[in-house]
Amino acid sequence: MADEPWTVKRLLEWTTRHLATKGAEAPRLDAEVLLAHALECKRIDVYTRFDVEPDEEARGRYRELVRRRTEGCPVAYLVGRKEFFSLELEVGPAVLIPRPDSESVVQECLALAKEMAAPRVLDLGTGSGNLAIAVAKYHKGAQVTALDLSADALAVARRNAEKHGLAERVQFLEGDLFGPILAGETFDFIVSNPPYIPTADIANLGIGVRDFEPHRALDGGGDGFEMFDRIVAQAPAFLAPGGYLILEIGSPQEAESRRRIGEQAGYQLAATIRDGSGHPRVLRARCEGDLARPAPIA
């Protein structure tokens, strides 16, 4: 074996076994994505190059990627991108890696906004801009405002908006929650994936999340509801009559989340929305009152 050439096929097979011993959940997928990145090609092209022997420079890049992966660094950070709602987005240590679970927030917003010509959407804690950009991309009339406390995160989000030709329809503001919003400005939708992990639980997260993703985007305070409560309490002042608050939650938090929204006057709380795995994931609450325009289809 020592004399055999390090072909693409052999590199993939060895790396898959190696990552599996290190506890990777998808070792073959990780190996393919990292090798494609090292070879500067698409992942699908790896399959057509099984008998090719990469040069030493490419193998060196690959060894370094695999080394960092075994240390726990997420693949998305190593390759600098992640797909969300069929959109390739830039990601890095300044932003949370978008998860498929969050696509439920976008799906709900788009379904409700379908009959609106120009819905006004506010995304709180935008991070990579995944929610804001997906809504703007798939609703051609949506006017989206995206906020984040992190200037570094906003820089990533702006590049993602520019990449997808949305810089003119997604406005980015730096600040804490509703702080940068002008007095009297209201929105048809407020969406957010707020930090919701209790502080004490951060230490028990997988190494890739715990040691590499920004804690500010994960830590929901002592009970996990610090940011959630602030949004729920303040949102009615920024929602147009009949507007919607759409929030992602941790699946174990469904009952408590619903109780907290139910205690806040001015909301009509809908049934919990489940993600693709069937877990409670999104809450939708409507701000009581009538829209000046026809209400969207619920």
Side-chain angles (χ1 to χ4, degrees):
M1 289 291 293
D3 296 330
E4 291 184 19
W6 282 102
T7 62
V8 165
K9 181 180 180 182
R10 187 183 176 198
L11 286 169
L12 287 175
E13 291 174 344
W14 185 92
T15 306
T16 298
R17 292 192 298 270
H18 179 64
L19 292 179
T21 65
K22 300 297 182 178
E25 294 182 1
R28 177 70 182 201
L29 176 61
D30 289 357
E32 291 175 358
V33 172
L34 295 178
L35 185 54
H37 187 67
L39 296 176
E40 300 178 341
C41 69
K42 295 181 179 178
R43 180 181 157 219
I44 189 67
D45 296 332
V46 170
Y47 290 96
T48 67
R49 304 184 184 186
F50 273 0
D51 295 328
V52 173
E53 185 178 356
D55 60 31
E56 180 55 36
E57 183 179 354
R59 293 203 304 274
R61 290 196 298 268
Y62 186 52
R63 282 194 297 269
E64 178 62 14
L65 290 169
V66 173
R67 181 190 68 78
R68 294 179 62 193
R69 181 70 186 109
T70 59
E71 293 175 348
C73 187
V75 170
Y77 287 162
L78 292 173
V79 302
R81 63 185 183 275
K82 181 69 174 180
E83 185 176 292
F84 180 82
F85 223 82
S86 299
L87 301 171
E88 184 176 277
L89 300 176
E90 174 190 337
V91 296
V95 302
L96 198 67
I97 298 171
R99 267 70 169 180
D101 295 343
S102 299
E103 293 185 354
S104 299
V105 175
V106 177
Q107 291 168 343
E108 187 66 11
C109 184
L110 291 174
L112 293 166
K114 185 177 181 180
E115 302 302 320
M116 290 181 171
R120 297 157 296 170
V121 182
L122 175 62
D123 176 22
L124 298 174
T126 195
S128 65
N130 57 310
L131 300 183
I133 289 167
V135 169
K137 184 69 174 182
Y138 293 105
H139 193 305
K140 301 305 181 183
Q143 296 297 320
V144 183
T145 300
L147 283 79
D148 204 286
L149 195 59
S150 167
D152 291 338
L154 286 173
V156 174
R158 287 191 181 96
R159 289 195 293 271
N160 281 325
E162 291 168 359
K163 175 180 180 178
H164 292 286
L166 298 169
E168 294 184 359
R169 286 200 295 115
V170 183
Q171 177 188 21
F172 293 99
L173 300 175
E174 182 180 348
D176 182 30
L177 287 189
F178 300 96
I181 304 300
L182 297 176
E185 187 174 4
T186 60
F187 300 87
D188 301 306
F189 297 90
I190 295 175
V191 302
S192 183
N193 174 18
Y196 53 69
I197 299 174
T199 302
D201 292 349
I202 299 290
N204 299 322
L205 297 174
I207 187 174
V209 179
R210 183 193 68 214
D211 292 352
F212 292 91
E213 299 202 54
H215 282 199
R216 177 185 287 175
L218 297 167
D219 192 340
D223 60 3
F225 288 97
E226 181 177 313
M227 195 64 67
F228 178 93
D229 287 344
R230 290 180 62 199
I231 293 173
V232 169
Q234 297 177 37
F238 298 91
L239 278 169
Y244 290 93
L245 175 63
I246 304 174
L247 294 176
E248 180 171 336
I249 60 171
S251 56
Q253 298 171 325
E254 180 189 13
E256 182 62 15
S257 298
R258 293 186 64 85
R259 184 189 69 78
R260 290 175 184 239
I261 291 184
E263 290 181 348
Q264 178 74 36
Y267 287 119
Q268 297 173 352
L269 183 58
T272 301
I273 299 153
R274 296 180 176 271
D275 60 27
S277 300
H279 300 129
R281 187 60 58 192
V282 175
L283 295 185
R284 184 190 87 203
R286 191 177 189 189
C287 187
E288 293 178 341
D290 297 323
L291 284 170
R293 64 180 67 81
I297 297 175

